[in-house]
Amino acid sequence: MDRGAALRAVPESFAGGRFPLYPEGMYARRRRAYFLLMGGCLFLFVSAWSFVRLWSVEAAVAMCVVAMVIPPVAAIVANRRGPDDRWWDDPSGDSKSDEWWDELDGKRPPGD
């Protein structure tokens, strides 16, 4: 195998930054939701201590408390499984691979 064979084996759309391994729009939808939530968190935090504190320190603190809760929620939303999303332990369709993973996960005894 020559030096560039591994790079040529990677699908062109994957190497170009697009991710065809995911179902239609799943990755984009989850990524968009995550960045919207984190953008809102950043906006709340920066605006609280930039100009809201000039009028009300209590409001700025409340905004920071809300901003503190957003990152875990964003992580949960971004990693949530949708109804059409394939999950890591779903069968792949390759019977040999599925048998091998079932054996490793303890779902099937070895040599069965």
Side-chain angles (χ1 to χ4, degrees), residues 26-62:
M26 178 189 78
Y27 184 73
R29 175 183 46 83
R30 289 171 31 183
R31 186 179 56 187
R32 188 177 311 116
Y34 177 79
F35 283 116
L36 282 173
L37 284 167
M38 291 306 289
C41 172
L42 193 60
F43 173 77
L44 282 171
F45 186 76
V46 170
S47 63
W49 296 113
S50 294
F51 56 87
V52 173
R53 70 175 170 86
L54 300 173
W55 290 286
S56 172
V57 173
E58 293 83 8
V61 170

PDB file of all heavy atoms in Angstrom, residues 26-62:
ATOM      1  N   MET A  26     -29.209  14.863  10.562  1.00  0.00           N
ATOM      2  CA  MET A  26     -29.137  14.617  11.999  1.00  0.00           C
ATOM      3  C   MET A  26     -28.010  15.404  12.643  1.00  0.00           C
ATOM      4  O   MET A  26     -28.213  16.102  13.623  1.00  0.00           O
ATOM      5  CB  MET A  26     -28.930  13.132  12.281  1.00  0.00           C
ATOM      6  CG  MET A  26     -28.794  12.831  13.754  1.00  0.00           C
ATOM      7  SD  MET A  26     -28.293  11.167  14.098  1.00  0.00           S
ATOM      8  CE  MET A  26     -26.547  11.244  13.763  1.00  0.00           C
ATOM      9  N   TYR A  27     -26.821  15.304  12.077  1.00  0.00           N
ATOM     10  CA  TYR A  27     -25.663  15.980  12.651  1.00  0.00           C
ATOM     11  C   TYR A  27     -25.853  17.492  12.620  1.00  0.00           C
ATOM     12  O   TYR A  27     -25.585  18.174  13.602  1.00  0.00           O
ATOM     13  CB  TYR A  27     -24.406  15.575  11.899  1.00  0.00           C
ATOM     14  CG  TYR A  27     -23.160  16.162  12.489  1.00  0.00           C
ATOM     15  CD1 TYR A  27     -22.659  15.692  13.690  1.00  0.00           C
ATOM     16  CD2 TYR A  27     -22.484  17.188  11.854  1.00  0.00           C
ATOM     17  CE1 TYR A  27     -21.526  16.224  14.247  1.00  0.00           C
ATOM     18  CE2 TYR A  27     -21.346  17.726  12.388  1.00  0.00           C
ATOM     19  CZ  TYR A  27     -20.864  17.240  13.588  1.00  0.00           C
ATOM     20  OH  TYR A  27     -19.739  17.784  14.128  1.00  0.00           O
ATOM     21  N   ALA A  28     -26.338  18.017  11.516  1.00  0.00           N
ATOM     22  CA  ALA A  28     -26.538  19.465  11.383  1.00  0.00           C
ATOM     23  C   ALA A  28     -27.577  19.967  12.381  1.00  0.00           C
ATOM     24  O   ALA A  28     -27.400  21.022  12.991  1.00  0.00           O
ATOM     25  CB  ALA A  28     -26.952  19.803   9.962  1.00  0.00           C
ATOM     26  N   ARG A  29     -28.641  19.219  12.577  1.00  0.00           N
ATOM     27  CA  ARG A  29     -29.698  19.638  13.512  1.00  0.00           C
ATOM     28  C   ARG A  29     -29.175  19.672  14.942  1.00  0.00           C
ATOM     29  O   ARG A  29     -29.403  20.636  15.671  1.00  0.00           O
ATOM     30  CB  ARG A  29     -30.881  18.662  13.408  1.00  0.00           C
ATOM     31  CG  ARG A  29     -31.989  18.906  14.402  1.00  0.00           C
ATOM     32  CD  ARG A  29     -33.094  17.866  14.304  1.00  0.00           C
ATOM     33  NE  ARG A  29     -32.642  16.502  14.217  1.00  0.00           N
ATOM     34  CZ  ARG A  29     -32.294  15.751  15.286  1.00  0.00           C
ATOM     35  NH1 ARG A  29     -32.345  16.254  16.492  1.00  0.00           N
ATOM     36  NH2 ARG A  29     -31.899  14.497  15.119  1.00  0.00           N
ATOM     37  N   ARG A  30     -28.452  18.647  15.339  1.00  0.00           N
ATOM     38  CA  ARG A  30     -27.921  18.605  16.700  1.00  0.00           C
ATOM     39  C   ARG A  30     -26.859  19.674  16.909  1.00  0.00           C
ATOM     40  O   ARG A  30     -26.810  20.311  17.964  1.00  0.00           O
ATOM     41  CB  ARG A  30     -27.343  17.215  16.977  1.00  0.00           C
ATOM     42  CG  ARG A  30     -28.435  16.192  17.098  1.00  0.00           C
ATOM     43  CD  ARG A  30     -27.977  14.778  17.154  1.00  0.00           C
ATOM     44  NE  ARG A  30     -26.686  14.553  17.772  1.00  0.00           N
ATOM     45  CZ  ARG A  30     -26.114  13.372  17.856  1.00  0.00           C
ATOM     46  NH1 ARG A  30     -26.718  12.325  17.364  1.00  0.00           N
ATOM     47  NH2 ARG A  30     -24.940  13.223  18.423  1.00  0.00           N
ATOM     48  N   ARG A  31     -26.012  19.884  15.917  1.00  0.00           N
ATOM     49  CA  ARG A  31     -24.966  20.897  16.018  1.00  0.00           C
ATOM     50  C   ARG A  31     -25.579  22.296  16.102  1.00  0.00           C
ATOM     51  O   ARG A  31     -25.153  23.131  16.891  1.00  0.00           O
ATOM     52  CB  ARG A  31     -24.025  20.782  14.816  1.00  0.00           C
ATOM     53  CG  ARG A  31     -22.831  21.691  14.903  1.00  0.00           C
ATOM     54  CD  ARG A  31     -21.950  21.522  13.720  1.00  0.00           C
ATOM     55  NE  ARG A  31     -22.721  21.760  12.515  1.00  0.00           N
ATOM     56  CZ  ARG A  31     -22.267  21.563  11.307  1.00  0.00           C
ATOM     57  NH1 ARG A  31     -21.082  21.088  11.113  1.00  0.00           N
ATOM     58  NH2 ARG A  31     -23.026  21.823  10.261  1.00  0.00           N
ATOM     59  N   ARG A  32     -26.601  22.546  15.303  1.00  0.00           N
ATOM     60  CA  ARG A  32     -27.260  23.852  15.307  1.00  0.00           C
ATOM     61  C   ARG A  32     -27.909  24.132  16.664  1.00  0.00           C
ATOM     62  O   ARG A  32     -27.786  25.226  17.216  1.00  0.00           O
ATOM     63  CB  ARG A  32     -28.315  23.897  14.202  1.00  0.00           C
ATOM     64  CG  ARG A  32     -28.916  25.271  13.991  1.00  0.00           C
ATOM     65  CD  ARG A  32     -29.903  25.288  12.829  1.00  0.00           C
ATOM     66  NE  ARG A  32     -29.378  24.667  11.630  1.00  0.00           N
ATOM     67  CZ  ARG A  32     -29.879  23.557  11.068  1.00  0.00           C
ATOM     68  NH1 ARG A  32     -30.928  22.958  11.595  1.00  0.00           N
ATOM     69  NH2 ARG A  32     -29.343  23.046   9.976  1.00  0.00           N
ATOM     70  N   ALA A  33     -28.582  23.138  17.229  1.00  0.00           N
ATOM     71  CA  ALA A  33     -29.217  23.312  18.532  1.00  0.00           C
ATOM     72  C   ALA A  33     -28.174  23.597  19.605  1.00  0.00           C
ATOM     73  O   ALA A  33     -28.362  24.479  20.455  1.00  0.00           O
ATOM     74  CB  ALA A  33     -30.018  22.062  18.890  1.00  0.00           C
ATOM     75  N   TYR A  34     -27.055  22.878  19.566  1.00  0.00           N
ATOM     76  CA  TYR A  34     -25.992  23.081  20.552  1.00  0.00           C
ATOM     77  C   TYR A  34     -25.428  24.499  20.459  1.00  0.00           C
ATOM     78  O   TYR A  34     -25.282  25.195  21.460  1.00  0.00           O
ATOM     79  CB  TYR A  34     -24.886  22.054  20.345  1.00  0.00           C
ATOM     80  CG  TYR A  34     -23.717  22.253  21.272  1.00  0.00           C
ATOM     81  CD1 TYR A  34     -23.779  21.818  22.589  1.00  0.00           C
ATOM     82  CD2 TYR A  34     -22.553  22.874  20.846  1.00  0.00           C
ATOM     83  CE1 TYR A  34     -22.725  22.000  23.456  1.00  0.00           C
ATOM     84  CE2 TYR A  34     -21.489  23.058  21.701  1.00  0.00           C
ATOM     85  CZ  TYR A  34     -21.576  22.621  23.001  1.00  0.00           C
ATOM     86  OH  TYR A  34     -20.526  22.806  23.847  1.00  0.00           O
ATOM     87  N   PHE A  35     -25.112  24.940  19.236  1.00  0.00           N
ATOM     88  CA  PHE A  35     -24.521  26.266  19.086  1.00  0.00           C
ATOM     89  C   PHE A  35     -25.498  27.395  19.399  1.00  0.00           C
ATOM     90  O   PHE A  35     -25.104  28.440  19.910  1.00  0.00           O
ATOM     91  CB  PHE A  35     -23.896  26.430  17.708  1.00  0.00           C
ATOM     92  CG  PHE A  35     -22.575  25.734  17.592  1.00  0.00           C
ATOM     93  CD1 PHE A  35     -22.400  24.691  16.712  1.00  0.00           C
ATOM     94  CD2 PHE A  35     -21.516  26.100  18.396  1.00  0.00           C
ATOM     95  CE1 PHE A  35     -21.186  24.034  16.619  1.00  0.00           C
ATOM     96  CE2 PHE A  35     -20.293  25.459  18.319  1.00  0.00           C
ATOM     97  CZ  PHE A  35     -20.130  24.415  17.425  1.00  0.00           C
ATOM     98  N   LEU A  36     -26.776  27.189  19.141  1.00  0.00           N
ATOM     99  CA  LEU A  36     -27.769  28.196  19.529  1.00  0.00           C
ATOM    100  C   LEU A  36     -27.847  28.322  21.053  1.00  0.00           C
ATOM    101  O   LEU A  36     -27.871  29.438  21.593  1.00  0.00           O
ATOM    102  CB  LEU A  36     -29.144  27.860  18.960  1.00  0.00           C
ATOM    103  CG  LEU A  36     -29.354  28.193  17.488  1.00  0.00           C
ATOM    104  CD1 LEU A  36     -30.694  27.649  17.015  1.00  0.00           C
ATOM    105  CD2 LEU A  36     -29.287  29.688  17.267  1.00  0.00           C
ATOM    106  N   LEU A  37     -27.891  27.198  21.737  1.00  0.00           N
ATOM    107  CA  LEU A  37     -27.947  27.240  23.197  1.00  0.00           C
ATOM    108  C   LEU A  37     -26.670  27.843  23.783  1.00  0.00           C
ATOM    109  O   LEU A  37     -26.723  28.677  24.690  1.00  0.00           O
ATOM    110  CB  LEU A  37     -28.174  25.837  23.759  1.00  0.00           C
ATOM    111  CG  LEU A  37     -29.604  25.322  23.637  1.00  0.00           C
ATOM    112  CD1 LEU A  37     -29.665  23.823  23.920  1.00  0.00           C
ATOM    113  CD2 LEU A  37     -30.509  26.074  24.585  1.00  0.00           C
ATOM    114  N   MET A  38     -25.520  27.439  23.276  1.00  0.00           N
ATOM    115  CA  MET A  38     -24.264  27.972  23.809  1.00  0.00           C
ATOM    116  C   MET A  38     -24.090  29.447  23.435  1.00  0.00           C
ATOM    117  O   MET A  38     -23.520  30.222  24.208  1.00  0.00           O
ATOM    118  CB  MET A  38     -23.083  27.141  23.312  1.00  0.00           C
ATOM    119  CG  MET A  38     -23.058  25.760  23.920  1.00  0.00           C
ATOM    120  SD  MET A  38     -23.093  25.741  25.722  1.00  0.00           S
ATOM    121  CE  MET A  38     -21.469  26.337  26.087  1.00  0.00           C
ATOM    122  N   GLY A  39     -24.585  29.855  22.285  1.00  0.00           N
ATOM    123  CA  GLY A  39     -24.561  31.271  21.924  1.00  0.00           C
ATOM    124  C   GLY A  39     -25.433  32.089  22.860  1.00  0.00           C
ATOM    125  O   GLY A  39     -25.070  33.193  23.270  1.00  0.00           O
ATOM    126  N   GLY A  40     -26.602  31.548  23.207  1.00  0.00           N
ATOM    127  CA  GLY A  40     -27.465  32.223  24.176  1.00  0.00           C
ATOM    128  C   GLY A  40     -26.811  32.316  25.546  1.00  0.00           C
ATOM    129  O   GLY A  40     -26.924  33.344  26.232  1.00  0.00           O
ATOM    130  N   CYS A  41     -26.110  31.267  25.931  1.00  0.00           N
ATOM    131  CA  CYS A  41     -25.390  31.266  27.207  1.00  0.00           C
ATOM    132  C   CYS A  41     -24.321  32.356  27.209  1.00  0.00           C
ATOM    133  O   CYS A  41     -24.203  33.134  28.162  1.00  0.00           O
ATOM    134  CB  CYS A  41     -24.766  29.898  27.431  1.00  0.00           C
ATOM    135  SG  CYS A  41     -23.669  29.820  28.845  1.00  0.00           S
ATOM    136  N   LEU A  42     -23.556  32.412  26.163  1.00  0.00           N
ATOM    137  CA  LEU A  42     -22.500  33.419  26.059  1.00  0.00           C
ATOM    138  C   LEU A  42     -23.081  34.829  26.039  1.00  0.00           C
ATOM    139  O   LEU A  42     -22.566  35.739  26.705  1.00  0.00           O
ATOM    140  CB  LEU A  42     -21.671  33.161  24.798  1.00  0.00           C
ATOM    141  CG  LEU A  42     -20.368  33.894  24.675  1.00  0.00           C
ATOM    142  CD1 LEU A  42     -19.448  33.544  25.832  1.00  0.00           C
ATOM    143  CD2 LEU A  42     -19.713  33.547  23.357  1.00  0.00           C
ATOM    144  N   PHE A  43     -24.182  35.008  25.308  1.00  0.00           N
ATOM    145  CA  PHE A  43     -24.832  36.314  25.264  1.00  0.00           C
ATOM    146  C   PHE A  43     -25.309  36.740  26.654  1.00  0.00           C
ATOM    147  O   PHE A  43     -25.112  37.890  27.069  1.00  0.00           O
ATOM    148  CB  PHE A  43     -26.016  36.288  24.293  1.00  0.00           C
ATOM    149  CG  PHE A  43     -26.833  37.540  24.315  1.00  0.00           C
ATOM    150  CD1 PHE A  43     -26.385  38.685  23.683  1.00  0.00           C
ATOM    151  CD2 PHE A  43     -28.038  37.581  24.999  1.00  0.00           C
ATOM    152  CE1 PHE A  43     -27.122  39.858  23.723  1.00  0.00           C
ATOM    153  CE2 PHE A  43     -28.791  38.741  25.044  1.00  0.00           C
ATOM    154  CZ  PHE A  43     -28.331  39.888  24.403  1.00  0.00           C
ATOM    155  N   LEU A  44     -25.941  35.829  27.384  1.00  0.00           N
ATOM    156  CA  LEU A  44     -26.413  36.155  28.734  1.00  0.00           C
ATOM    157  C   LEU A  44     -25.257  36.549  29.648  1.00  0.00           C
ATOM    158  O   LEU A  44     -25.328  37.548  30.368  1.00  0.00           O
ATOM    159  CB  LEU A  44     -27.159  34.971  29.341  1.00  0.00           C
ATOM    160  CG  LEU A  44     -28.578  34.729  28.874  1.00  0.00           C
ATOM    161  CD1 LEU A  44     -29.081  33.402  29.405  1.00  0.00           C
ATOM    162  CD2 LEU A  44     -29.475  35.864  29.313  1.00  0.00           C
ATOM    163  N   PHE A  45     -24.195  35.770  29.619  1.00  0.00           N
ATOM    164  CA  PHE A  45     -23.070  36.032  30.511  1.00  0.00           C
ATOM    165  C   PHE A  45     -22.380  37.358  30.181  1.00  0.00           C
ATOM    166  O   PHE A  45     -22.131  38.184  31.072  1.00  0.00           O
ATOM    167  CB  PHE A  45     -22.060  34.881  30.428  1.00  0.00           C
ATOM    168  CG  PHE A  45     -20.949  35.022  31.417  1.00  0.00           C
ATOM    169  CD1 PHE A  45     -21.155  34.741  32.752  1.00  0.00           C
ATOM    170  CD2 PHE A  45     -19.700  35.441  31.014  1.00  0.00           C
ATOM    171  CE1 PHE A  45     -20.131  34.880  33.671  1.00  0.00           C
ATOM    172  CE2 PHE A  45     -18.668  35.586  31.927  1.00  0.00           C
ATOM    173  CZ  PHE A  45     -18.891  35.305  33.259  1.00  0.00           C
ATOM    174  N   VAL A  46     -22.100  37.583  28.918  1.00  0.00           N
ATOM    175  CA  VAL A  46     -21.397  38.812  28.526  1.00  0.00           C
ATOM    176  C   VAL A  46     -22.271  40.036  28.742  1.00  0.00           C
ATOM    177  O   VAL A  46     -21.813  41.060  29.275  1.00  0.00           O
ATOM    178  CB  VAL A  46     -20.917  38.723  27.057  1.00  0.00           C
ATOM    179  CG1 VAL A  46     -20.409  40.055  26.556  1.00  0.00           C
ATOM    180  CG2 VAL A  46     -19.833  37.662  26.934  1.00  0.00           C
ATOM    181  N   SER A  47     -23.531  39.955  28.370  1.00  0.00           N
ATOM    182  CA  SER A  47     -24.397  41.127  28.549  1.00  0.00           C
ATOM    183  C   SER A  47     -24.670  41.409  30.028  1.00  0.00           C
ATOM    184  O   SER A  47     -24.821  42.569  30.426  1.00  0.00           O
ATOM    185  CB  SER A  47     -25.710  40.953  27.786  1.00  0.00           C
ATOM    186  OG  SER A  47     -26.444  39.871  28.292  1.00  0.00           O
ATOM    187  N   ALA A  48     -24.709  40.344  30.854  1.00  0.00           N
ATOM    188  CA  ALA A  48     -24.948  40.550  32.288  1.00  0.00           C
ATOM    189  C   ALA A  48     -23.870  41.427  32.905  1.00  0.00           C
ATOM    190  O   ALA A  48     -24.164  42.348  33.670  1.00  0.00           O
ATOM    191  CB  ALA A  48     -25.014  39.209  33.004  1.00  0.00           C
ATOM    192  N   TRP A  49     -22.614  41.149  32.562  1.00  0.00           N
ATOM    193  CA  TRP A  49     -21.531  41.893  33.202  1.00  0.00           C
ATOM    194  C   TRP A  49     -21.019  43.052  32.358  1.00  0.00           C
ATOM    195  O   TRP A  49     -20.186  43.831  32.816  1.00  0.00           O
ATOM    196  CB  TRP A  49     -20.400  40.945  33.596  1.00  0.00           C
ATOM    197  CG  TRP A  49     -20.920  39.995  34.616  1.00  0.00           C
ATOM    198  CD1 TRP A  49     -21.101  38.672  34.467  1.00  0.00           C
ATOM    199  CD2 TRP A  49     -21.404  40.330  35.924  1.00  0.00           C
ATOM    200  NE1 TRP A  49     -21.652  38.133  35.603  1.00  0.00           N
ATOM    201  CE2 TRP A  49     -21.851  39.128  36.516  1.00  0.00           C
ATOM    202  CE3 TRP A  49     -21.515  41.507  36.657  1.00  0.00           C
ATOM    203  CZ2 TRP A  49     -22.384  39.072  37.804  1.00  0.00           C
ATOM    204  CZ3 TRP A  49     -22.042  41.448  37.939  1.00  0.00           C
ATOM    205  CH2 TRP A  49     -22.472  40.237  38.497  1.00  0.00           C
ATOM    206  N   SER A  50     -21.543  43.218  31.153  1.00  0.00           N
ATOM    207  CA  SER A  50     -21.155  44.379  30.350  1.00  0.00           C
ATOM    208  C   SER A  50     -22.022  45.590  30.670  1.00  0.00           C
ATOM    209  O   SER A  50     -21.507  46.672  30.923  1.00  0.00           O
ATOM    210  CB  SER A  50     -21.271  44.067  28.861  1.00  0.00           C
ATOM    211  OG  SER A  50     -20.345  43.088  28.501  1.00  0.00           O
ATOM    212  N   PHE A  51     -23.344  45.396  30.606  1.00  0.00           N
ATOM    213  CA  PHE A  51     -24.204  46.567  30.797  1.00  0.00           C
ATOM    214  C   PHE A  51     -25.378  46.347  31.744  1.00  0.00           C
ATOM    215  O   PHE A  51     -25.860  47.310  32.338  1.00  0.00           O
ATOM    216  CB  PHE A  51     -24.702  47.111  29.453  1.00  0.00           C
ATOM    217  CG  PHE A  51     -25.415  46.123  28.603  1.00  0.00           C
ATOM    218  CD1 PHE A  51     -26.775  45.903  28.738  1.00  0.00           C
ATOM    219  CD2 PHE A  51     -24.723  45.392  27.643  1.00  0.00           C
ATOM    220  CE1 PHE A  51     -27.428  44.997  27.945  1.00  0.00           C
ATOM    221  CE2 PHE A  51     -25.382  44.480  26.843  1.00  0.00           C
ATOM    222  CZ  PHE A  51     -26.733  44.286  26.988  1.00  0.00           C
ATOM    223  N   VAL A  52     -25.852  45.134  31.955  1.00  0.00           N
ATOM    224  CA  VAL A  52     -26.991  44.917  32.851  1.00  0.00           C
ATOM    225  C   VAL A  52     -26.603  45.250  34.291  1.00  0.00           C
ATOM    226  O   VAL A  52     -27.402  45.797  35.052  1.00  0.00           O
ATOM    227  CB  VAL A  52     -27.538  43.481  32.723  1.00  0.00           C
ATOM    228  CG1 VAL A  52     -28.605  43.198  33.766  1.00  0.00           C
ATOM    229  CG2 VAL A  52     -28.098  43.256  31.326  1.00  0.00           C
ATOM    230  N   ARG A  53     -25.364  44.963  34.675  1.00  0.00           N
ATOM    231  CA  ARG A  53     -24.915  45.242  36.050  1.00  0.00           C
ATOM    232  C   ARG A  53     -24.957  46.734  36.382  1.00  0.00           C
ATOM    233  O   ARG A  53     -25.026  47.105  37.546  1.00  0.00           O
ATOM    234  CB  ARG A  53     -23.504  44.714  36.266  1.00  0.00           C
ATOM    235  CG  ARG A  53     -22.463  45.497  35.497  1.00  0.00           C
ATOM    236  CD  ARG A  53     -21.058  45.024  35.820  1.00  0.00           C
ATOM    237  NE  ARG A  53     -20.109  45.621  34.904  1.00  0.00           N
ATOM    238  CZ  ARG A  53     -19.550  46.804  35.081  1.00  0.00           C
ATOM    239  NH1 ARG A  53     -19.852  47.527  36.136  1.00  0.00           N
ATOM    240  NH2 ARG A  53     -18.692  47.281  34.202  1.00  0.00           N
ATOM    241  N   LEU A  54     -24.931  47.569  35.349  1.00  0.00           N
ATOM    242  CA  LEU A  54     -24.995  49.012  35.586  1.00  0.00           C
ATOM    243  C   LEU A  54     -26.360  49.421  36.126  1.00  0.00           C
ATOM    244  O   LEU A  54     -26.473  50.409  36.850  1.00  0.00           O
ATOM    245  CB  LEU A  54     -24.676  49.781  34.308  1.00  0.00           C
ATOM    246  CG  LEU A  54     -23.276  49.509  33.717  1.00  0.00           C
ATOM    247  CD1 LEU A  54     -23.152  50.205  32.370  1.00  0.00           C
ATOM    248  CD2 LEU A  54     -22.202  49.962  34.681  1.00  0.00           C
ATOM    249  N   TRP A  55     -27.407  48.675  35.753  1.00  0.00           N
ATOM    250  CA  TRP A  55     -28.749  48.986  36.227  1.00  0.00           C
ATOM    251  C   TRP A  55     -29.136  48.137  37.427  1.00  0.00           C
ATOM    252  O   TRP A  55     -29.795  48.629  38.331  1.00  0.00           O
ATOM    253  CB  TRP A  55     -29.779  48.758  35.114  1.00  0.00           C
ATOM    254  CG  TRP A  55     -29.648  49.775  34.021  1.00  0.00           C
ATOM    255  CD1 TRP A  55     -30.032  51.076  34.080  1.00  0.00           C
ATOM    256  CD2 TRP A  55     -29.061  49.571  32.747  1.00  0.00           C
ATOM    257  NE1 TRP A  55     -29.725  51.700  32.905  1.00  0.00           N
ATOM    258  CE2 TRP A  55     -29.124  50.785  32.064  1.00  0.00           C
ATOM    259  CE3 TRP A  55     -28.489  48.485  32.105  1.00  0.00           C
ATOM    260  CZ2 TRP A  55     -28.649  50.955  30.769  1.00  0.00           C
ATOM    261  CZ3 TRP A  55     -28.011  48.644  30.825  1.00  0.00           C
ATOM    262  CH2 TRP A  55     -28.097  49.865  30.180  1.00  0.00           C
ATOM    263  N   SER A  56     -28.744  46.842  37.411  1.00  0.00           N
ATOM    264  CA  SER A  56     -29.157  45.961  38.495  1.00  0.00           C
ATOM    265  C   SER A  56     -28.183  44.790  38.619  1.00  0.00           C
ATOM    266  O   SER A  56     -28.109  43.929  37.730  1.00  0.00           O
ATOM    267  CB  SER A  56     -30.566  45.433  38.225  1.00  0.00           C
ATOM    268  OG  SER A  56     -30.904  44.447  39.152  1.00  0.00           O
ATOM    269  N   VAL A  57     -27.480  44.764  39.731  1.00  0.00           N
ATOM    270  CA  VAL A  57     -26.545  43.663  39.974  1.00  0.00           C
ATOM    271  C   VAL A  57     -27.329  42.364  40.191  1.00  0.00           C
ATOM    272  O   VAL A  57     -26.889  41.287  39.760  1.00  0.00           O
ATOM    273  CB  VAL A  57     -25.643  43.979  41.185  1.00  0.00           C
ATOM    274  CG1 VAL A  57     -24.796  42.774  41.551  1.00  0.00           C
ATOM    275  CG2 VAL A  57     -24.773  45.180  40.893  1.00  0.00           C
ATOM    276  N   GLU A  58     -28.493  42.442  40.825  1.00  0.00           N
ATOM    277  CA  GLU A  58     -29.303  41.255  41.054  1.00  0.00           C
ATOM    278  C   GLU A  58     -29.740  40.615  39.730  1.00  0.00           C
ATOM    279  O   GLU A  58     -29.720  39.394  39.586  1.00  0.00           O
ATOM    280  CB  GLU A  58     -30.541  41.577  41.903  1.00  0.00           C
ATOM    281  CG  GLU A  58     -30.215  41.972  43.335  1.00  0.00           C
ATOM    282  CD  GLU A  58     -29.841  43.451  43.481  1.00  0.00           C
ATOM    283  OE1 GLU A  58     -29.982  44.208  42.503  1.00  0.00           O
ATOM    284  OE2 GLU A  58     -29.374  43.806  44.570  1.00  0.00           O
ATOM    285  N   ALA A  59     -30.125  41.439  38.779  1.00  0.00           N
ATOM    286  CA  ALA A  59     -30.519  40.929  37.460  1.00  0.00           C
ATOM    287  C   ALA A  59     -29.314  40.291  36.759  1.00  0.00           C
ATOM    288  O   ALA A  59     -29.448  39.252  36.101  1.00  0.00           O
ATOM    289  CB  ALA A  59     -31.107  42.044  36.604  1.00  0.00           C
ATOM    290  N   ALA A  60     -28.139  40.893  36.902  1.00  0.00           N
ATOM    291  CA  ALA A  60     -26.931  40.333  36.290  1.00  0.00           C
ATOM    292  C   ALA A  60     -26.591  38.973  36.898  1.00  0.00           C
ATOM    293  O   ALA A  60     -26.227  38.033  36.185  1.00  0.00           O
ATOM    294  CB  ALA A  60     -25.764  41.302  36.447  1.00  0.00           C
ATOM    295  N   VAL A  61     -26.732  38.858  38.206  1.00  0.00           N
ATOM    296  CA  VAL A  61     -26.477  37.582  38.869  1.00  0.00           C
ATOM    297  C   VAL A  61     -27.497  36.542  38.424  1.00  0.00           C
ATOM    298  O   VAL A  61     -27.152  35.377  38.158  1.00  0.00           O
ATOM    299  CB  VAL A  61     -26.468  37.752  40.406  1.00  0.00           C
ATOM    300  CG1 VAL A  61     -26.457  36.410  41.109  1.00  0.00           C
ATOM    301  CG2 VAL A  61     -25.289  38.606  40.838  1.00  0.00           C
ATOM    302  N   ALA A  62     -28.752  36.943  38.315  1.00  0.00           N
ATOM    303  CA  ALA A  62     -29.803  36.020  37.853  1.00  0.00           C
ATOM    304  C   ALA A  62     -29.515  35.554  36.418  1.00  0.00           C
ATOM    305  O   ALA A  62     -29.687  34.369  36.097  1.00  0.00           O
ATOM    306  CB  ALA A  62     -31.169  36.689  37.939  1.00  0.00           C
TER     307      ALA A  62
END
